[in-house]
Each structure stands twice: as structure tokens, then as C-alpha cells.
Amino acid sequence: MNDTAHTSTGTPAGTRPADRSAPGPSDAEIAELGQQLRVDAVRAADAAGSGHPTSSMSAADLMAVLLARHLRYDFDRPGHPGNDHLILSKGHASPLLYAAYKAAGAIDDEELLTFRTLGSRLEGHPTPRLPWVDVATGSLGQGLPIGVGVALSAKRLEHLPYRTWVLCGDSELAEGSVWEAFEQAGIEGLDNLTAILDINRLGQRGPTRHGWDLGAYARRIRAFGWHTVEVDGHDIDAVDEAMATARTTRGAPTAIIARTRKGRGVAAVEDREGMHGKPLPDAEAAIRELGGVRSSRVHVRRPPDAQEPELDERPDAPLPDYPPGEDVATRTAFGEALAALGSRRGDVVVLDGEVGDSTKAELFSKEHPERYIECYIAEQQLIGTAVGLDVRGWTPYACTFAAFLTRAHDFLRMAAISRSGIKVVGSHAGVAIGEDGPSQMALEDLAMMRAIHGSTVLYPCDANQTAKLVAALADRPGIGYLRTTRGDTPVIYGPEEDFPVGGSKTLRSHPDDQVTLIAAGVTLHQALTAADRLADEGIRARVIDLYSVKPVDTQALRRAAQETGRFVTVEDHHPEGGLADAVLESFGNGHPMPRLTRLAVHSMPGSATSAEQLAAAGIDADSVVAAARTLIGNG
């Protein structure tokens, strides 16, 4: 196959003639810029002794055209509301991105050569330590899903003219998350989104699935409602025309499918297997072959003036409250509180995984339909869209069944690296959901969410506590997680109670307490029943509602350990990584460990009623009573 790719614009009815009239550098000057980007990618990787220069070299001409003629960005004002957004989904090609920043004057050559060194902002894969990087990339298949969220914000929420450009590699097109993104973008008609696909044929260990068959990619992408353009990715004029067409296409997003050569411009590595993720074997010779070191500056056009949208807010809108003694599911209280929070704060946006009638997130949609986004059964795209909205300053609440969030764990992990502040709500947690059986029971979610860097994990037990925590989560930095329960539970707190994040509530306490029962959510009610029964037997038990699972109330736990010496933890979760582990992590550094009995879901559940499930798992009131008796009886 020769180097010239077939070009197929397939111009849809909504496409205007390509706008290429704006002045700018010549094709020859842009070709020179592409060579400069290659040289700097080679230099950066050589200085570091590691990196991915060949993956950077394939996309250098694509980046050069984008920078010189189509990107609208003010590098002096990265927060400018009119700035375009450039997401490098193939994050391993970070040398290309950093070389582009140097060409734009955002960094200097000295900083470029700190690539991958201790303390450098130029990490092996981009992160928002750099103010021009929206999100961390490097776990492949995430840039386009997040880009959909950014573009969706511009089109549906902000009504601003900025564009979102996502540079993807061909290997990551095997990821299912990419196709979730293609579908959502097509359904939403995101004509302000352009995916630039660097089809260089070679992945990490050999050829990619479709190699240079651009048509294979185009057919699939068009099926999701996209406009596609197939080009030779090293033909400056063709790439320019494709990007101009993308900017003027209306009603559909555009995918520029560019045939490129990995390691372009250096014969020793160009289109050769076994060169992925390595500095070039002879960097000096490669730089000479590419024409030598250059220090040209490219003028990236600044965006037009734009203003952030005005938010409709009623700070005095009350949260719902519930009379003690009433039975209310925490998922219901969540939905009602979220709708009220949406009235208080115009920055709150809710995303649903097509289960809003069950999570009760749909109550928000009835009050604020313009800020309710349906992502359907696509949990990776659900979180990716939320991260994209967070980039634009919204406060997203992404809601689905807690069990299904496991599919999106990598997106959540990467969201933390992106310094994202998204809020995640998982309902139908634990065996307490009853007859639906184990496929629907989240029994790993507390461990999963606690393990995320900087996360907040909350597990309310009643409606008033839920309402307060929904609101509190909005102001927490980092990833926030709220776990809700399917069935009705008694309201035990009055609406005047406060529940600070990092706190707890001690509901039973006496100077003669012999044991402390620690629970949260549905098992808190079992612990209260157990404490009352133990009291009838003459055994005093303290009860702590550990609603803040992370951060945990270390002070209250250490005091209880000192005063009672014995803990029984009870949780509707597997024993690994959940409530008990959060409790144990409060000790050490000279603080004596209490004697501990951990009650959790050790067996594989089946289908049964909620009460039967709690009993079978050994986390009901009877089990708590028995555990406390044994612990006390053993000294």
C-alpha cells in the first residue's frame, strides 16, 4: 500500500464549504513546524531515557496544522471561557503535546528537557499539573468520552462557540468506551466535537486490528451518526481541509481518520515494529535526518470574547425534611434532596445511567430538565461525561446502581488523577436489596471508592441524614461517593441535625459500655436493635453511626476503643476494604487496637427477602447480639 490515503469527505447536507480563508502560515511553514515537533519529541525522550517519540512523530503534522490554523486558545488565559479544548487521548504521545506547548511559547526549551524527571510538570502522561491540560490521559480510551462531556457542556449548557478536539490513537479504538462515546456524541449531534484519529498501523506489540484500513474505521464511526473524512495525515493541505470541514459541519460530530506512519521521518524507526515506547537508538542522527533543531514559534489564534453562562440559583431553596419515625428509603431522600439542591445551585448537573426511576435521580429531571443528561446503560461514558462537565466548572452527580460502577472504576481512578470533583451516587447497595440476587448487589463499592485518591465516601442511614450529605458532597474537593439503600428505613434523626463530613454520631452511650457496635447505612438499624436487646440482658453497648466512611471519625473511634475495649463492626459489604478496614486504619502510632469482631458478607448471596439476606449473611440484629456476647464472654 502506498503512502497516499483515500480521501472521502462524504459531505452531509449540513456541511458548509470549508472555511480556509483566514491568513496564517504557509503549508511549507506548517510542514517545518511538524518537523520541529518531531525533533523536540525525540529530544525530550532522549533526555529522559524513556518515552514514546515514535507515537508522537506519527501525529506531528496533525498537531502542526491544528496549532497553526484551527485551534483557538489563549495560553496566557487557560481559563478563558471561549478557549477550544484539546485532549490528547493517546496520552503516551505526551512528548508531542509538550513540543506543541513549546512551539506556542507556553513552556521553554529548558523545561521541555525536564520531561519525566522528578518534580517536572511534564510527566510521562499529561496531567492537569499543566494549566493547559484539562484531564489526565494515558489509560487509553478515555479522551473521547471526556471530550463528549466537554462538547456537551458547550452545546447544551453554556451555549458557547468553543470546539473540542480529541487526538486519538488507533490502538485505543479497540476499547469499548470509545464506541460508547461515538454513540453518545452522534445522538447528541455534537458538531462542536472533532476526533482526530492517528492511524499509524502499529500498536505496542505489533499491528493494530485494522492496520491502515481507514474504511473499516469510517464505516463503524458513520454508523454512529458521525461525519468522517479520510486523509493522508502527512499531507498538510489535506489535513487542513479536513479540519476546516470539521469546523463548518453542522448537525454531526466529525472524525478525521488520518493514515500516518509511526516514527515518521527517521528511516531507522519509521513504520518498524519493536520501537514502541523507546527513545530513538541514535537521537543525534535522527535529529540531523529531520533537519536539525528548530525554535520557531507558532501563533495560536486567541478565541473570541465569551462569557460564562448566568446560573439560575435560589440559595434559600430548602432541603426536604422528614419526621422521625417515618419509613423512607435513602434513595428517595437522595432524589428529593438533589432536586432541591439543583434549585439552590445552578451549577449542579445530574447524569443518569438509565436507572433514574430506581435511583430517584429522575426527580431532578422533573425540576431541572435542562441540566439532566441521560447516558443510558454506558457506565464508562456516564463517568467520562461527568469528568468533561467538571472540566467546564459544573458540579456533576453521576447516578447508577452501585454494582455497575465497577465497570467504570478505571474512569474514576483517572478522574482522581485529573483532580476532578465529580460526585457519584450508587444505589441498591448490598444484600439488603433482596430478591434480585448477587448480580445486582454492590458488595465491593466501599472498597473501590475508598481506594481512590482523595475521595470522600458517605453512607447515610436515614432520610434526613441523606439530604444533608447530598448537599455537603457538592462542596467537597475530589471524587465524592454517596451510597444509598433500596428499601425503606426508619427516620431516626431530626431535620435539625448536622452531619459534617468526617464525623459520626454516637446513638447509644454510657460510662459502663462494654462493647461498641459500629455500623452505617442499613446495618445501623440492626445495630440499634441489637443494642436495645443487649441492654435488656444487662449488657451496655455503645452504638456509633459511621456515616462518613472516608474520612473517618478517628477521634470518636479511638475514644470508644479506650472506653469499651471491644468493637463489633457490621456492614452490608464484603469484609475486604469496607467499614471495618476504615475503622482499623484509625489505629496505630501508639493508639491501642481494640478487640474486634467483623461482621460482613462472607458468603455468595442468592435470592431472598431483605430480612432473609441480612440473616443469611450474618449481619442482622441477631448476629450482632451473638457477636457482642461472644466478644464480652471471651474477656
Side-chain angles (χ1 to χ4, degrees):
M1 184 180 291
N2 61 36
D3 287 351
T4 303
H6 172 64
T7 301
S8 172
T9 58
T11 305
T15 301
R16 301 176 181 176
D19 175 15
R20 306 175 67 198
S21 59
S26 67
D27 286 4
E29 289 171 325
I30 294 176
E32 274 294 296
L33 175 61
Q35 291 293 81
Q36 175 176 316
L37 298 178
R38 289 187 177 93
V39 167
D40 282 344
V42 170
R43 294 173 65 228
D46 185 61
S50 64
H52 295 75
T54 59
S55 298
S56 301
M57 295 160 75
S58 63
D61 296 319
L62 300 170
M63 181 67 79
V65 175
L66 180 62
L67 279 178
R69 290 192 178 158
H70 298 282
L71 189 71
R72 303 292 181 263
Y73 198 92
D74 186 344
F75 280 91
D76 293 327
R77 294 179 59 197
H80 190 302
N83 278 344
D84 283 355
H85 291 261
L86 170 59
I87 298 174
L88 183 71
S89 191
K90 50 178 288 180
H92 57 284
S94 58
L96 173 62
L97 185 66
Y98 303 149
Y101 289 161
K102 177 196 162 186
I107 65 172
D108 59 23
D109 195 66
E110 182 179 2
E111 183 170 15
L112 177 72
L113 298 182
T114 68
F115 176 53
R116 287 186 168 222
T117 59
L118 180 64
S120 173
R121 299 188 299 172
L122 310 188
E123 299 180 53
H125 295 76
T127 73
R129 287 182 67 182
L130 288 164
W132 318 287
V133 173
D134 287 326
V135 291
T137 54
S139 182
L140 293 177
Q142 298 202 19
L144 191 60
I146 293 169
V148 168
V150 176
L152 196 61
S153 177
K155 193 171 185 69
R156 280 186 51 176
L157 300 174
E158 299 177 273
H159 308 291
L160 289 176
Y162 66 80
R163 297 193 61 79
T164 301
W165 306 85
V166 182
L167 178 57
C168 301
D170 46 0
S171 286
E172 68 181 305
L173 298 180
E175 290 281 7
S177 58
V178 171
W179 300 96
E180 289 182 12
F182 276 128
E183 182 155 30
Q184 188 179 13
I187 290 293
E188 296 283 354
L190 298 181
D191 51 18
N192 58 348
L193 173 66
T194 301
I196 306 168
L197 310 183
D198 178 25
I199 310 299
N200 64 28
R201 188 184 77 83
L202 292 175
Q204 178 165 325
R205 54 111 216 110
T208 56
R209 178 174 289 160
H210 297 294
W212 275 322
D213 186 354
L214 304 191
Y217 294 110
R219 289 189 297 274
R220 288 161 173 78
I221 295 167
R222 282 198 299 269
F224 289 109
W226 285 57
H227 173 50
T228 63
V229 186
E230 300 169 41
V231 298
D232 176 348
H234 304 305
D235 182 331
I236 301 300
D237 186 66
V239 172
D240 181 34
E241 182 177 0
M243 291 183 181
T245 298
R247 286 172 51 204
T248 54
T249 296
R250 299 292 176 262
T254 297
I256 298 171
I257 307 170
R259 185 185 192 275
T260 64
R261 295 174 71 86
K262 200 165 185 173
R264 170 75 171 188
V266 177
V269 298
E270 183 169 333
D271 192 36
R272 292 179 182 268
E273 295 185 27
M275 300 309 301
H276 181 88
K278 301 175 183 178
L280 269 59
D282 188 339
E284 289 187 6
I287 291 167
R288 287 195 299 271
E289 189 175 352
L290 291 166
V293 176
R294 303 151 172 87
S295 298
S296 297
R297 286 280 300 273
V298 61
H299 173 67
V300 178
R301 292 179 202 153
R302 294 181 178 178
D305 290 337
Q307 292 185 343
E308 302 281 4
E310 293 186 9
L311 302 180
D312 179 21
E313 297 182 325
R314 290 188 290 115
D316 59 343
L319 291 174
D321 57 60
Y322 307 88
E326 187 173 300
D327 288 338
V328 181
T330 58
R331 60 169 172 152
T332 302
F334 155 72
E336 293 172 348
L338 191 62
L341 184 64
S343 298
R344 284 185 175 187
R345 298 179 51 148
D347 64 320
V348 172
V349 180
V350 174
L351 302 95
D352 172 40
E354 204 201 299
V355 288
D357 56 338
S358 293
T359 64
K360 302 305 178 183
E362 71 171 7
L363 298 176
F364 184 95
S365 72
K366 293 178 169 55
E367 298 291 330
H368 314 286
E370 73 286 355
R371 286 186 273 139
Y372 189 81
I373 297 171
E374 182 56 70
C375 295
Y376 300 95
I377 304 294
E379 288 81 14
Q380 295 177 103
Q381 187 57 49
L382 173 79
I383 301 302
T385 303
V387 172
L389 293 172
D390 177 81
V391 165
R392 294 300 305 148
W394 302 98
T395 301
Y397 282 71
C399 313
T400 187
F401 286 8
F404 304 155
L405 287 168
T406 54
R407 293 188 180 184
H409 180 258
D410 188 35
F411 275 74
L412 292 163
R413 178 185 71 87
M414 289 296 295
I417 300 172
S418 294
R419 285 69 165 170
S420 181
I422 65 171
K423 318 306 171 190
V424 183
V425 182
S427 74
H428 291 62
V431 300
I433 70 168
E435 291 86 347
D436 276 345
S439 68
Q440 310 299 296
M441 297 172 177
L443 294 167
E444 311 84 6
D445 57 316
L446 293 179
M448 178 177 78
M449 299 306 296
R450 286 182 64 240
I452 292 172
H453 177 74
S455 64
T456 296
V457 180
L458 307 174
Y459 186 16
C461 70
D462 85 342
N464 284 322
Q465 190 178 68
T466 301
K468 294 289 182 68
L469 293 179
V470 167
L473 204 57
D475 292 317
R476 288 287 296 178
I479 310 299
Y481 180 59
L482 185 81
R483 191 189 213 220
T484 65
T485 301
R486 178 185 189 181
D488 291 343
T489 52
V491 177
I492 61 174
Y493 295 111
E496 73 286 351
E497 291 271 4
D498 289 322
F499 304 94
V501 173
S504 66
K505 290 288 184 180
T506 301
L507 297 174
R508 300 282 190 277
S509 181
H510 189 275
D512 297 331
D513 286 337
Q514 298 169 270
V515 64
T516 300
L517 312 179
I518 304 170
V522 69
T523 59
L524 188 277
H525 303 280
Q526 302 298 317
L528 287 171
T529 299
D532 292 342
R533 286 173 50 188
L534 288 167
D536 290 341
E537 300 175 13
I539 299 173
R540 293 195 177 276
R542 186 169 302 184
V543 178
I544 294 179
D545 175 7
L546 204 67
Y547 63 83
S548 182
V549 183
K550 182 185 177 184
V552 75
D553 190 347
T554 299
Q555 188 174 16
L557 292 172
R558 289 176 177 175
R559 183 170 57 250
Q562 183 178 11
E563 294 175 359
T564 72
R566 305 177 185 90
F567 282 2
V568 175
T569 59
V570 52
E571 56 189 309
D572 194 357
H573 187 273
H574 285 319
E576 298 85 3
L579 188 76
D581 280 352
V583 169
L584 289 174
E585 288 166 14
S586 297
F587 296 91
N589 296 323
H591 296 278
M593 188 84 68
R595 297 183 59 205
L596 173 68
T597 297
R598 304 163 58 131
L599 302 183
V601 182
H602 292 267
S603 60
M604 180 60 69
S607 288
T609 66
S610 178
E612 290 169 336
Q613 296 279 18
L614 294 173
I619 56 174
D620 64 344
D622 286 347
S623 302
V624 177
V625 168
R629 285 188 193 130
T630 301
L631 193 58
I632 293 169
N634 288 339

